[in-house]
């Protein structure tokens, strides 16, 4: 049986190491037959991303720090001539000090950086990649429940994720006529390098597993399989949505 992404080319931004959600998405995309183009943020990640890229059979590995418009333009320049079908944006950043103090203490600079890297970058990347998506396609980003509810210690990143989810809707409206769909997956907490920046993260994992309807935490592979659905023709009618892949945690209210 042909893979669900056979004949499709995917650009994946946000692999930092083998625990990255973007790496799990790369594995699932590869399993389904996609050609993969990976990016890395900075020189310090190059060796790791090269190793992971060769495991995934990636066709190209290119640098792109999404806080730099020139690097986004340079990435697209290097991709001229290749048709893209899917873009995965799996990127977020907030200063550790901004996450560890009460939200009310958020600095102007820290607020700006978190929103720039974690939300505006989706707009910049989608705009730059759209002309390469000549047959339409799918743009996907990763969000978290902290966009919608107050999650302790998530702070400015919650506000950035709210902006990201809203950007998904506005981008879906703008790019829909070009048959480009834009969606987010709101993943349950997963132990990754980024998650370690959130204070008491292991307590969050325990709490979610105890309360979620499926009584367990989220496996990156199930986030990746939902990404396959959204990137494939099976997801052709879905745009502007935030799909929760969180063992059902977001439906729960108070527990007894
Ligand atoms: O519990 C979790 N881990 C969840 C993560 C639950 C729900 C959502 N998410 C989101 C994150 O907020 C993020 O948007 O998933 C996305 C991927 O996060 P991840 O896989 O948990 O974390 P990680 O492996 O650290 O990947 C994020 C990467 C960065 O890694 P490091 O550890 O080096 O900060 O985002 C990249 C970077 O590689 N990144 C950038 N890439 C390009 N330009 C930039 C940048 N300016 N800043 C960060």
């Amino acid at each position: 049986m042909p893979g669900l992404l056979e004949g499709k080319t995917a650009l994946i931004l946000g692999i930092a190491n083998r625990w990255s959600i973007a790496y799990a998405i790369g594995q699932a995309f590869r399993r389904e037959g996609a050609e993969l183009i990976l990016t890395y943020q900075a020189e310090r990640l190059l060796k790791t991303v090269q190793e992971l890229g060769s495991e995934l059979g990636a066709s190209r590995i290119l640098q792109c720090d999404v806080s730099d418009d020139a690097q986004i333009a340079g990435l697209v320049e290097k991709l001229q001539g290749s048709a893209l079908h899917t873009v995965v944006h799996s990127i977020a950043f907030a200063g550790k000090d901004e996450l560890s103090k009460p939200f009310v203490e958020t600095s102007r600079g820290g607020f700006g950086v978190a929103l720039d890297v974690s939300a505006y970058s989706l707009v910049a990347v989608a705009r730059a990649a759209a002309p390469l998506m000549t047959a339409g396609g799918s743009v996907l980003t990763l969000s978290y429940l902290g966009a919608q509810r107050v999650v302790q210690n998530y702070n400015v990143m919650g506000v950035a994720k709210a902006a990201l989810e809203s950007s998904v809707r506005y981008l879906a409206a703008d790019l829909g006529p070009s048959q480009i769909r834009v969606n987010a997956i709101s993943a349950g907490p997963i132990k990754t390098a980024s998650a370690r920046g959130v204070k008491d993260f292991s307590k969050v994992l325990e709490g979610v597993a105890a309360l979620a309807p499926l009584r367990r935490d989220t496996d990156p592979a199930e986030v990746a399989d939902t990404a396959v659905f959204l990137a494939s023709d099976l997801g052709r009618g879905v745009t502007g949505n935030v799909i929760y892949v969180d063992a059902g945690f977001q439906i729960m209210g108070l527990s007894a």
Side-chain angles (χ1 to χ4, degrees):
M1 215 171 72
L4 288 167
L5 301 178
E6 213 74 57
K8 294 194 193 292
T9 301
L11 173 66
I12 302 182
L13 300 97
I15 296 183
N17 52 53
R18 80 176 54 249
W19 294 275
S20 296
I21 295 171
Y23 178 62
I25 293 175
Q27 288 178 305
F29 278 19
R30 184 66 189 166
R31 180 193 73 215
E32 298 299 336
E35 178 186 335
L36 304 182
I37 301 169
L38 311 181
T39 69
Y40 60 98
Q41 179 193 353
E43 214 54 37
R44 73 186 155 89
L45 296 174
L46 175 59
K47 194 164 163 277
T48 307
V49 177
Q50 267 173 342
E51 278 166 19
L52 298 176
S54 90
E55 280 177 29
L56 293 172
S59 60
R60 302 183 73 176
I61 297 175
L62 302 166
Q63 183 170 2
C64 184
D65 183 324
V66 295
S67 64
D68 181 351
D69 283 334
Q71 289 201 29
I72 295 175
L75 172 68
V76 167
E77 185 61 39
K78 291 189 188 98
L79 295 178
Q80 285 307 324
S82 21
L84 277 187
H85 303 90
T86 293
V87 177
V88 176
H89 171 280
S90 186
I91 287 172
F93 178 79
K96 204 165 176 172
D97 50 329
E98 300 293 342
L99 291 176
S100 59
K101 58 193 182 191
F103 176 69
V104 70
E105 305 291 341
T106 304
S107 70
R108 190 183 297 273
F111 189 98
V113 167
L115 269 91
D116 182 31
V117 177
S118 314
Y120 178 74
S121 65
L122 178 70
V123 183
V125 166
R127 183 173 61 240
L132 300 175
M133 300 174 84
T134 46
S138 161
V139 175
L140 171 66
T141 189
L142 273 298
S143 191
Y144 179 58
L145 184 62
Q148 301 291 334
R149 316 257 180 89
V150 173
V151 174
Q152 212 181 350
N153 299 328
Y154 203 59
N155 300 338
V156 70
M157 190 53 86
V159 177
K161 292 298 191 193
L164 180 73
E165 292 185 6
S166 186
S167 301
V168 162
R169 292 185 282 274
Y170 280 93
L171 288 170
D174 279 358
L175 299 178
S178 306
Q179 302 308 308
I180 297 171
R181 299 178 290 106
V182 186
N183 293 286
I185 294 174
S186 183
I190 295 169
K191 208 172 196 168
T192 63
S194 289
R196 279 203 294 271
V198 178
K199 205 165 91 189
D200 293 334
F201 186 74
S202 45
K203 285 193 197 141
V204 173
L205 286 176
E206 282 168 27
V208 167
L211 188 58
L214 299 181
R215 295 291 188 276
R216 60 173 175 78
D217 279 306
T218 300
D219 177 356
E222 55 205 15
V223 174
D225 283 344
T226 301
V228 168
F229 158 72
L230 286 169
S232 76
D233 294 342
L234 296 180
R236 65 192 176 279
V238 183
T239 193
N241 269 273
V242 179
I243 299 183
Y244 285 84
V245 181
D246 67 343
F249 182 78
Q250 51 89 27
I251 67 165
M252 299 304 288
L254 282 178
S255 63

